[in-house]
Amino acid sequence: MEIPPQMQCLFSAEIEEDGASFVVEVPDREIQTGDLEVGKTYRVALLSTESSPQRRAAGGQSDDTQGPPVEEGETRRVEIEDIGEQGDGVARVERGYVVIVPDTELGERVAVQVQNVQANVAFAVVTERLSYDE
């Protein structure tokens, strides 16, 4: 999957039915970053995910309010699902959160250490290349 340079935000959300329409809620933090404006029109791409859909937490709040599902210094085992435009590997973890991993190949399984965490994406370095049966 190519990640175009004009992409302004990336998040996971459920599609909800509202009568004869369907609704995808955009988290407040996406609007607050200044990249999106209320009342403007944007193209929206829907990507399938193999992970199960997130359920609403008690009180009707989305699990997205928890913040990024990774922390700086954390070690994870991931599979590279895509290659970005700059040639870096793209892995996804909980809620479809994106982790960018340089020097990896499509389909490669690696252990990574998270170096930098942002609201919509984290950057990690490879600490170990894993075999496919690990």
Side-chain angles (χ1 to χ4, degrees), residues 108-130:
E108 188 173 13
R109 295 191 66 216
V110 292
V112 298
Q113 182 178 34
V114 178
Q115 301 287 303
N116 181 302
V117 176
Q118 298 177 12
N120 296 326
V121 65
F123 299 87
V125 294
V126 175
T127 58
E128 181 182 358
R129 299 192 187 274
L130 305 171

Side-chain angles (χ1 to χ4, degrees), residues 2-134:
E2 287 187 31
I3 300 175
Q6 65 269 35
M7 182 172 74
Q8 295 176 324
C9 70
L10 176 64
F11 62 93
S12 294
E14 289 182 27
I15 297 175
E16 298 175 5
E17 191 169 2
D18 183 19
S21 298
F22 294 91
V23 177
V24 175
E25 290 186 14
V26 177
D28 286 341
R29 70 173 183 266
E30 297 300 333
I31 303 297
Q32 293 169 358
T33 63
D35 291 337
L36 303 178
E37 294 180 39
V38 175
K40 294 279 187 167
T41 301
Y42 297 92
R43 289 186 182 180
V44 176
L46 300 177
L47 307 173
S48 65
T49 178
E50 293 180 16
S51 62
S52 61
Q54 295 293 315
R55 300 285 178 227
R56 292 244 174 224
Q61 293 295 318
S62 168
D63 288 341
D64 282 344
T65 60
Q66 296 175 351
V70 298
E71 296 179 4
E72 289 182 11
E74 181 178 353
T75 300
R76 290 278 188 120
R77 291 173 178 242
V78 299
E79 183 170 335
I80 304 303
E81 299 177 19
D82 296 302
I83 301 296
E85 283 186 7
Q86 328 275 276
D88 295 330
V90 177
R92 289 179 185 77
V93 294
E94 295 90 316
R95 302 188 317 262
Y97 186 82
V98 173
V99 179
I100 305 295
V101 187
D103 303 319
T104 54
E105 297 179 13
L106 184 64
E108 188 173 13
R109 295 191 66 216
V110 292
V112 298
Q113 182 178 34
V114 178
Q115 301 287 303
N116 181 302
V117 176
Q118 298 177 12
N120 296 326
V121 65
F123 299 87
V125 294
V126 175
T127 58
E128 181 182 358
R129 299 192 187 274
L130 305 171
S131 67
Y132 286 96
D133 35 316
E134 284 188 63

